[in-house]
RNA sequence: GCUCGCAUAGCUCAGUCGGAUAGAGCAACGGUUUCCUAAACCGUAGGCCGCAGGUUCGAUUCCUGCUGCGAGCACCA
């Protein structure tokens, strides 16, 4: 029976609910799942494994106070199965569970391996993310979007959806015109040669120079500088000329555009490969600019769109503070908005999706409200199925990133600095002992852990202040901390195997043996770890259904803490055990190792075997 | 001005459906290694959950108003 790796209730809660539910009065009207959903870990560890709040039972008990209900339930509850002890504590019923039952309920599914996602839901979802512009630099800010979009793709798949991961590259538009203006009119033929390495970044620097020059001229012109005004006007005329030629596919310009665009695309491919991000479909703005303009003309003729100050657009009065949504510029060229109309159409037509998610920063919230509203007014009913996932910006300690001020951290510099630091601080000590390839691979995995976890471990509507030094510290609540706790578990399994001690593969399917092995897991750290592992599916469920990977981050950090408490405690050693206790601990370590690695991978973070 | 977001420990942040004594990380102080990885673990200290009302048996959580910070608001994407 295929099953998505996410559930709204945990395995332990379900096992307990099966015993608790029959004891509750039918008048309470609670289903088995309701009861399971009301069970949660108690406030403090010494209160037991699960707690049941009796507040909602009040009406069924003629309004009796919850503490009295809890006391009554504690009396009635059978304690010879999964529930070993039931104690009323105020309005709560605190339950201590039988170790063998806990282990049997939680560990086998994890120890078997969670594997690849299975489609269990009807809703097919497209997640569009990344959307970098060609001819512009790729920097840390873009990494938040990539990390977030990729994690959402993975989480929705784990949640049981069929997902189309889509990218949408900005390969046409005003920024291209500015870059090509600089490239063609300012650079000499000799200067037009890009470096062998980092062609895309080099192109981005040309765009930055062009843009800075235009801003400078504009500033001077406003201050009354006639010369600057003349230069600005000329440049603007030229960029418009380039833009028009680009949209009409002028052969000469097209050749330059194709050549330079390719430099950026190659760099993006390299970045995505390093980031372990894969797209099922890449859309290009260049494939929707013409269809977009056609749509604008069509709906202008139909009277849905109107002309205003030379531009074409629509007045969406629903958005009071800025009702006019421009769809075609006065010079006849297209805008981001123009292309978004055609793109939405294309997505639904080509992929038969049921839901379309746009991962784009929060500043575009009004834009997408306009897009979806406009689509609806055009009679495109599927606009209802479009959904913008906004997120806050990434800033530097000294303030917002600015290409102009040169304060951006470009991707390549970020990568090199992280890899260099990780090797020097943690991995160089293994030189000679490990192969260079393994050291490189481990540094790569840790760098991904640091940057992705850093970007994801924060609610989407919180700003991130990116402090490279702090993130490279790798202490505390970080990706590498979680990777480290998994590596330790891997190390335990590896050393146990060397000592000839392995998990009996038949154990996970043998109820009797499971109970016997599980009953040995009585140390507080072991019980706590089983309880923590029980939360994995719920964490994935919440992260996927709320589209918030940060929820999984928070869970994995608490799981890693439980793992490290177990690994550190000498009373929980594995290798010096035998028999049922050895099997119980091997089962626990195997399950925890799988949970951590699988959980991290749902965030796009690989786990090194050792570190 | 209008719209949206944020405000919780010294700093950076969690806090599921409104429920027990509001939790982590960093920084500070003290402790743990005859080592299944000290990138770890344990302990101490640290709080007007921005302010004022409202709803509720119960509010950090929901509602209203206010204050502070940030972002967006016509030819950029």
């Amino acid at each position: 029976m295929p099953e998505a790796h996410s559930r709204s209730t945990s395995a332990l809660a379900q096992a307990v609910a099966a015993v608790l539910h029959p004891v509750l009065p039918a008048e309470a009207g609670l289903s088995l799942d309701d009861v399971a959903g009301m069970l949660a870990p108690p406030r403090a560890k010494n209160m037991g494994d699960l707690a049941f709040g009796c507040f909602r039972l009040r009406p069924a008990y003629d309004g009796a106070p919850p503490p009295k209900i809890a006391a009554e339930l504690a009396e009635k509850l059978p304690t010879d199965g999964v529930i070993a002890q039931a104690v009323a504590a105020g309005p709560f019923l605190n339950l201590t569970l039988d170790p063998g039952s806990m282990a049997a309920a939680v560990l086998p599914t994890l120890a078997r391996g969670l594997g690849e996602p299975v489609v269990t839901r009807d809703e097919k979802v497209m997640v569009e993310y990344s959307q970098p512009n060609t001819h512009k630099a790729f920097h840390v800010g873009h990494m938040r979007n990539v990390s977030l979009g990729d994690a959402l793709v993975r989480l929705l798949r784990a949640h049981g959806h069929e997902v189309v991961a889509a990218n949408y590259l900005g390969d046409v538009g005003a920024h291209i015109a500015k870059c090509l203006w600089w490239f063609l009119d300012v650079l000499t033929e000799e200067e037009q040669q890009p470096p062998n390495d980092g062609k895309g970044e080099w192109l981005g620097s040309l765009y930055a120079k062009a843009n800075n020059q235009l801003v400078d001229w504009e500033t001077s012109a406003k201050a009354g500088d006639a010369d600057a005004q003349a230069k600005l006007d000329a440049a603007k005329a030229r960029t418009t000329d380039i833009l028009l030629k680009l949209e009409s596919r002028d052969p000469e310009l097209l050749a330059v555009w194709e050549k330079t665009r390719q430099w950026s695309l190659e760099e993006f491919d390299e970045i995505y490969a390093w980031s372990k991000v894969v797209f099922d479909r890449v859309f290009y703005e260049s494939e929707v600019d013409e269809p977009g303009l056609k749509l604008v003309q069509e709906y202008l003729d139909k009277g849905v769109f109107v002309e205003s100050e030379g531009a074409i657009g629509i007045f969406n009065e629903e958005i009071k503070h800025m009702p006019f949504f421009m769809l075609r510029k006065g010079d006849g060229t297209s805008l981001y908005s123009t292309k978004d109309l055609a793109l939405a159409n294309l997505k639904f037509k080509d992929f038969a999706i049921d839901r379309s998610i746009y991962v784009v920063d929060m500043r575009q919230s009004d834009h997408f409200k306009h897009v979806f509203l406009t689509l609806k007014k055009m009679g495109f009913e599927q606009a209802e199925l479009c959904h913008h996932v906004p997120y806050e910006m990434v800033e530097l300690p000294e303030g917002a990133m600015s290409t102009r001020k040169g304060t951006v951290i470009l991707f390549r510099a970020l990568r090199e600095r992280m890899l260099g630091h990780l090797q020097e601080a943690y991995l160089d000590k293994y030189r000679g002992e490990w192969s260079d390839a393994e050291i490189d691979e481990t540094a790569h995995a840790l760098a991904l852990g640091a940057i992705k976890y850093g970007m994801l471990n924060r609610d989407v509507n919180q700003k991130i202040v990116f402090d490279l030094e702090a993130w490279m510290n790798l202490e505390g609540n970080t990706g590498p901390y979680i990777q480290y706790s998994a590596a330790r578990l891997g190390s335990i399994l590896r050393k146990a195997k060397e000592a000839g001690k392995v998990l009996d593969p038949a154990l996970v399917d043998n109820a009797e043996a499971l109970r016997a092995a599980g009953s040995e897991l009585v140390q507080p750290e072991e019980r706590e770890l089983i309880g923590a592992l029980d939360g994995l599916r719920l964490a994935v469920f919440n992260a996927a259904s709320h589209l918030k990977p940060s929820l999984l981050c928070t869970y994995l950090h608490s799981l890693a803490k439980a793992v490290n408490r177990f690994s550190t405690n000498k009373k929980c050693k594995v290798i010096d055990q035998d028999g049922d206790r050895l099997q119980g601990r091997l089962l626990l370590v195997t399950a925890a190792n799988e949970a951590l690695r699988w959980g991290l991978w749902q965030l796009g973070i690989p786990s090194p075997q050792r570190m």
Side-chain angles (χ1 to χ4, degrees):
Chain A
M1 172 73 175
E3 193 186 341
H5 296 311
S6 75
R7 274 187 146 158
S8 59
T9 54
S10 78
L12 278 187
Q14 284 177 333
V16 168
V19 178
L20 179 56
H21 185 253
V23 177
L24 302 177
E27 301 84 73
L30 295 170
S31 70
L32 199 63
D33 279 348
D34 290 337
V35 175
M38 288 164 72
L39 287 158
R43 260 288 169 263
K45 284 175 211 160
N46 58 12
M47 290 174 166
D49 302 297
L50 281 177
F52 182 75
C54 298
F55 307 98
R56 272 194 254 168
L57 258 33
R58 248 182 131 169
Y61 280 85
D62 295 324
K68 208 176 167 192
I69 303 171
E72 196 174 312
L73 287 174
E75 285 290 310
K76 283 210 276 190
L77 211 55
T79 50
D80 53 351
V82 59
I83 299 170
Q85 194 187 24
V87 178
F92 289 88
L93 184 61
N94 288 339
L95 307 170
T96 302
L97 308 184
D98 165 60
S101 305
M102 280 176 79
V106 176
L107 303 180
T109 47
L110 295 172
R112 281 189 199 104
L114 294 167
E116 295 300 310
V118 181
V119 176
T120 57
R121 291 174 200 269
D122 289 338
E123 200 180 46
K124 183 174 172 182
V125 185
M126 176 176 283
V127 179
E128 180 207 301
Y129 69 99
S130 194
Q131 313 107 331
N133 287 323
T134 64
H135 302 72
K136 272 176 121 172
F138 199 102
H139 56 76
V140 269
H142 294 102
M143 285 306 287
R144 184 171 194 177
N145 187 299
V146 170
S147 305
L148 181 59
D150 178 53
L152 289 176
V153 167
R154 292 167 187 274
L155 283 167
L156 287 169
R157 284 182 180 146
H159 197 49
H161 290 286
E162 184 180 354
V163 180
V164 182
N167 197 347
Y168 179 41
L169 298 184
D171 62 345
V172 290
H175 66 284
I176 312 275
K178 287 180 190 173
C179 180
L180 292 187
W181 159 61
W182 193 267
F183 182 80
L184 291 170
D185 295 6
V186 179
L187 294 192
T188 64
E189 205 163 313
E190 205 170 292
E191 288 168 336
Q192 287 181 356
Q193 277 307 312
N196 286 326
D197 220 19
K199 292 187 177 71
E201 214 166 83
W202 175 78
L203 204 54
S205 74
L206 299 187
Y207 164 78
K209 283 176 192 162
N211 198 43
N212 289 347
Q213 179 62 265
L214 291 172
V215 172
D216 284 346
W217 282 340
E218 194 166 1
T219 310
S220 304
K222 270 186 188 156
D225 184 336
D227 184 46
Q229 183 67 55
K231 283 175 173 163
L232 181 66
D233 290 344
K236 274 193 169 172
R238 175 63 169 142
T239 51
T240 299
D241 171 54
I242 293 174
L243 211 47
L244 283 167
K245 279 182 174 159
L246 220 47
E247 285 191 353
S248 63
R249 309 294 190 253
D250 173 80
E252 198 178 325
L253 199 66
L254 210 57
V256 179
W257 173 74
E258 272 172 359
K259 180 174 71 180
T260 51
R261 171 181 182 269
Q262 196 55 34
W263 295 340
S264 288
L265 297 185
E266 277 163 20
E267 184 162 293
F268 294 158
D269 282 346
E270 191 201 334
I271 290 168
Y272 295 135
W274 189 81
S275 304
K276 299 192 186 288
V277 161
V278 177
F279 296 99
D280 302 309
R281 169 68 150 99
V282 179
F283 295 105
Y284 298 92
E285 284 192 21
S286 57
E287 63 181 307
V288 285
D289 61 345
E290 216 181 315
L293 284 168
K294 271 188 190 152
L295 276 177
V296 170
Q297 187 61 51
E298 184 186 338
Y299 283 83
L300 176 64
D301 294 342
K302 284 185 181 170
V304 178
F305 298 162
V306 294
E307 195 251 304
S308 169
E309 297 174 32
I312 308 298
I314 183 170
F315 283 95
N316 289 320
E317 301 298 344
E318 296 87 339
I319 298 166
K320 294 190 286 282
H321 57 286
M322 46 170 290
F324 187 66
F325 186 44
M326 191 184 294
L327 293 160
R328 192 175 82 193
K329 289 189 275 183
D331 63 10
T333 58
S334 64
L335 287 146
Y336 194 43
S337 53
T338 321
K339 298 158 210 166
D340 260 332
L341 299 182
L343 178 65
N345 208 6
L346 185 61
K347 284 178 175 178
F348 282 93
K349 208 176 69 193
D350 281 10
F351 291 92
I353 51 173
D354 302 299
R355 195 171 161 207
S356 183
I357 289 175
Y358 296 71
V359 181
V360 184
D361 76 72
M362 199 169 264
R363 295 178 305 190
Q364 318 280 339
S365 292
D366 284 331
H367 168 80
F368 283 108
K369 271 185 207 143
H370 271 300
V371 171
F372 303 153
L373 254 171
T374 303
L375 285 167
K376 211 176 159 193
K377 289 179 182 176
M378 291 164 72
F380 186 76
E381 294 302 328
Q382 286 152 319
E384 305 270 1
L385 309 169
C386 296
H387 184 45
H388 175 217
V389 176
Y391 62 89
E392 261 289 3
M393 306 304 292
V394 178
E395 292 184 0
L396 298 175
E398 51 272 23
M401 263 183 282
S402 157
T403 313
R404 195 166 155 69
K405 290 179 193 152
T407 53
V408 284
I409 300 176
L410 299 182
F411 173 81
R412 291 152 56 90
L414 170 76
R415 181 177 61 185
E416 295 320 311
R417 283 178 70 181
M418 291 182 79
L419 291 176
H421 174 81
L422 288 163
Q423 297 197 6
E424 192 184 321
Y426 301 108
L427 299 171
D428 275 348
K429 62 184 174 189
Y430 299 122
R431 286 273 175 218
E433 190 185 336
W434 297 7
S435 70
D436 285 353
E438 185 178 359
I439 288 178
D440 287 350
E441 199 182 321
T442 306
H444 182 183
L446 294 180
L448 285 174
I451 187 78
K452 288 191 179 181
Y453 190 87
M455 291 293 179
L456 295 172
N457 181 35
R458 189 145 313 178
D459 195 277
V460 285
N461 49 27
Q462 286 284 359
K463 227 173 5 190
I464 292 180
V465 176
F466 179 72
D467 184 343
L468 190 55
E469 299 309 318
W471 285 32
M472 291 200 302
N473 248 333
L474 308 182
E475 282 176 343
N477 187 358
T478 65
Y481 168 80
I482 299 169
Q483 290 169 309
Y484 170 77
S485 56
R488 273 183 83 160
L489 294 178
S491 181
I492 291 173
L493 292 174
R494 193 168 53 242
K495 295 204 169 164
K497 193 177 177 186
E498 281 164 18
K501 298 184 173 184
V502 295
L503 179 66
D504 176 4
L507 186 74
V508 292
D509 297 312
N510 182 334
E512 195 81 1
L514 263 178
R515 183 167 284 274
S519 298
E520 294 292 327
L521 301 174
V522 294
Q523 292 294 331
E525 289 81 5
E526 293 172 327
R527 299 175 61 89
E528 192 202 332
L529 181 51
I530 297 171
L533 289 168
D534 185 44
L536 176 63
R537 290 185 180 203
L538 182 58
V540 173
F541 181 93
N542 285 331
S545 52
H546 292 101
L547 302 177
K548 284 176 188 272
S550 61
L551 297 175
L552 182 55
C553 291
T554 302
Y555 165 76
L556 287 174
H557 178 244
S558 68
L559 176 60
K561 284 195 69 81
V563 164
N564 277 328
R565 274 194 280 269
F566 166 83
S567 304
T568 306
N569 194 313
K570 291 192 194 75
K571 288 183 182 159
C572 298
K573 269 191 82 166
V574 177
I575 290 175
D576 51 5
Q577 300 300 321
D578 284 297
D580 285 338
R581 183 168 293 172
L582 170 71
Q583 286 301 313
R585 288 187 178 168
L586 284 172
L587 177 67
L588 180 58
V589 172
T590 303
N593 191 35
E594 172 70 12
L596 282 175
R597 288 170 194 273
W598 183 86
L600 281 172
W601 191 234
Q602 304 319 303
L603 300 174
I605 299 172
S607 310
Q609 290 306 311
R610 51 180 185 174
M611 60 188 272

